[in-house]
Amino acid sequence: MDIIKDFLMINNQTFKKTISSLKSNWMIIFTGIVYIILNTAIFTVVFSIFRGVLSIFAGIILAIVSASLISNYLYLLYNIINYNRMTFQDFKDGFKYFLRKVYTIFFLLG
């Protein structure tokens, strides 16, 4: 039964920390929504511009743009979890912080 008590205690502490971080950094929720809208709009624009043989370039551009948006979101989450803050400088730095790792995963899964 100690395992269940430990599990409940850890989840209780994690839930409290999550709620306090979410209260001070509530805009992270809207950031994800904005990134989904931006990604969809960029997909639409790029696929309408690059057709035929140029669709290879469209794929490369879309992979880089999607990877940079995911990188930024992950970097913002990283800063919220570790430092309990999110600044505009973090927002600017996040587009390239995890870019190589995310793009590598895109490449391996694609």
Side-chain angles (χ1 to χ4, degrees):
M1 286 300 180
D2 288 334
I3 295 174
I4 295 173
K5 285 181 183 178
D6 290 342
F7 180 75
L8 291 175
M9 183 181 70
I10 289 172
N11 282 325
N12 190 20
Q13 291 173 352
T14 306
F15 182 72
K16 288 177 183 177
K17 185 178 177 185
T18 301
I19 295 300
S20 73
S21 291
L22 193 58
K23 284 180 183 177
S24 60
N25 299 296
W26 55 269
M27 45 275 188
I28 193 70
I29 296 170
F30 298 111
T31 307
I33 294 169
V34 169
Y35 285 169
I36 290 171
I37 293 168
L38 274 174
N39 205 16
T40 305
I42 290 171
F43 265 70
T44 305
V45 169
V46 169
F47 275 133
S48 66
I49 294 173
F50 296 103
R51 293 186 181 268
V53 178
L54 295 177
S55 63
I56 284 182
F57 295 120
I60 294 170
I61 291 169
L62 291 175
I64 291 172
V65 168
S66 296
S68 67
L69 289 175
I70 292 170
S71 169
N72 191 322
Y73 195 70
L74 289 175
Y75 186 67
L76 292 176
L77 285 174
Y78 173 80
N79 283 325
I80 289 172
I81 290 169
N82 289 326
Y83 308 115
N84 201 19
R85 66 175 169 78
M86 179 175 67
T87 63
F88 187 69
Q89 187 62 38
D90 295 336
F91 179 77
K92 290 183 348 186
D93 293 341
F95 286 107
K96 54 189 172 191
Y97 192 80
F98 292 119
L99 180 64
R100 184 180 301 162
K101 293 176 183 178
V102 174
Y103 192 76
T104 302
I105 290 171
F106 277 5
F107 183 76
L108 292 174
L109 294 178

